[in-house]
C-alpha cells in the first residue's frame, strides 16, 4: 500500500514538471509572448531626413555704368601713345546709348591729334545688335580680329579711324583722329589689345 502511494506521488510530480516546460495556455501573460524580440520602429536619422532646397538669393544685375567704367581705357593703358588727358566729349559714330550706362575718356597727342574712347551699355538689347544696326561714315578698314568679342567693325573717314567692339551688353568704341588716315588706323591697331582686354574682362 505504501508502495502505491509513492508511485502516485512520483507520477504527480512528473506531470507537474512537464507542465512547466511550455507556456500555460490559461496564462495570457505568457501564452502570447513572442520568443523573438521585436525591433523598434526605424526613424530616419538627421542625415537621411529630406532637406528642403535652400531658396536662391535673387540675382542683382550688375550696374551698367559700373561695367562701362571698368571697360574704359585708363591713362596707364594709353601711356605708350605719349598722350595727355584732354577735355571734351569723345567723338564717334555709335548711336548714343543711355547716358547713365556710358563712360568716356579723351586724350591728346603732342601733334594735336585726338584719341577718344567710349563704352556704352545697352540694357534693352545686345551690344552685337547695336553695332550691327549702326552705320558709320566712310569706308570699312581692316584691323586685326580680336578674340573674345562677339562683333567688331572698323571704319576710316578721312583722317579718322573708328573701331567698335561688342560683347554682352557693352560696346567699346575707339576713335583716333590723326594727321593722316594711315596714322589713325595704326594707332587704333596698337590700342586694340588693351581695349579688348578691358571689354572681355566684363561679365
Amino acid at each position: 500500500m505504501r508502495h502505491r502511494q509513492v508511485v502516485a506521488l512520483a507520477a504527480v510530480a512528473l506531470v507537474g514538471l512537464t507542465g512547466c516546460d511550455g507556456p500555460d495556455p490559461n496564462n495570457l501573460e505568457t501564452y502570447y509572448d513572442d520568443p523573438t524580440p521585436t525591433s523598434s520602429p526605424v526613424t530616419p536619422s538627421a542625415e537621411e531626413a529630406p532637406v528642403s532646397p535652400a531658396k536662391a538669393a535673387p540675382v542683382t544685375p550688375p550696374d551698367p555704368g559700373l561695367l562701362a567704367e571698368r571697360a574704359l581705357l585708363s591713362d596707364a593703358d594709353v601711356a605708350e601713345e605719349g598722350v595727355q588727358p584732354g577735355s571734351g566729349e569723345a567723338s564717334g559714330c555709335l548711336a548714343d546709348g543711355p547716358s547713365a550706362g556710358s563712360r568716356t575718356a579723351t586724350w591728346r597727342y603732342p601733334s594735336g591729334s585726338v584719341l577718344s574712347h567710349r563704352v556704352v551699355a545697352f540694357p534693352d538689347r545686345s551690344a552685337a545688335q547695336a553695332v550691327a544696326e549702326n552705320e558709320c561714315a566712310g569706308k570699312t578698314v581692316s584691323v586685326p580680329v580680336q578674340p573674345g568679342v562677339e562683333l567688331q567693325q572698323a571704319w576710316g573717314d578721312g583722317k579718322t579711324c573708328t573701331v567698335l567692339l561688342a560683347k554682352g551688353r557693352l560696346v567699346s568704341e575707339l576713335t583716333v583722329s590723326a594727321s593722316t588716315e594711315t596714322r589713325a588706323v595704326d594707332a587704333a591697331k596698337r590700342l586694340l589689345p588693351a581695349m579688348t582686354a578691358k571689354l572681355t574682362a566684363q561679365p
Side-chain angles (χ1 to χ4, degrees):
M1 182 70 177
R2 185 171 182 178
H3 178 68
R4 291 179 181 176
Q5 290 178 348
V6 172
V7 172
L9 288 174
V12 170
L14 181 61
V15 171
L17 289 175
T18 56
C20 294
D21 287 345
D24 182 0
N26 296 322
N27 187 345
L28 296 179
E29 291 182 3
T30 60
Y31 185 74
Y32 293 103
D33 281 349
D34 190 346
T36 59
T38 58
S39 59
S40 59
V42 179
T43 57
S45 64
E47 297 175 353
E48 298 173 351
V51 178
S52 59
K55 293 182 179 179
V59 178
T60 303
D63 177 67
L66 180 59
L67 292 179
E69 184 174 341
R70 289 176 179 173
L72 192 67
L73 291 175
S74 66
D75 292 345
D77 295 323
V78 299
E80 293 186 3
E81 291 294 303
V83 294
Q84 295 296 324
S87 59
E89 286 294 325
S91 61
C93 66
L94 178 67
D96 289 339
S99 59
S102 65
R103 296 293 185 272
T104 62
T106 304
W107 299 268
R108 292 188 179 276
Y109 288 89
S111 63
S113 300
V114 178
L115 164 65
S116 62
H117 186 226
R118 178 170 62 151
V119 180
V120 180
F122 291 86
D124 56 345
R125 57 178 171 158
S126 71
Q129 179 184 2
V131 170
E133 294 174 352
N134 192 78
E135 188 65 32
C136 292
K139 62 182 179 180
T140 302
V141 296
S142 177
V143 296
V145 176
Q146 299 303 298
V149 300
E150 296 168 6
L151 183 63
Q152 75 174 58
Q153 293 184 1
W155 293 269
D157 183 19
K159 300 175 182 180
T160 300
C161 177
T162 300
V163 181
L164 299 179
L165 302 180
K167 176 186 177 289
R169 300 286 180 177
L170 297 178
V171 176
S172 183
E173 179 184 35
L174 179 71
T175 304
V176 183
S177 296
S179 58
T180 66
E181 180 183 341
T182 300
R183 288 186 176 183
V185 173
D186 288 344
K189 289 179 179 179
R190 290 193 299 269
L191 292 167
L192 270 178
M195 179 181 170
T196 302
K198 283 290 188 72
L199 178 64
T200 56
Q202 308 314 312

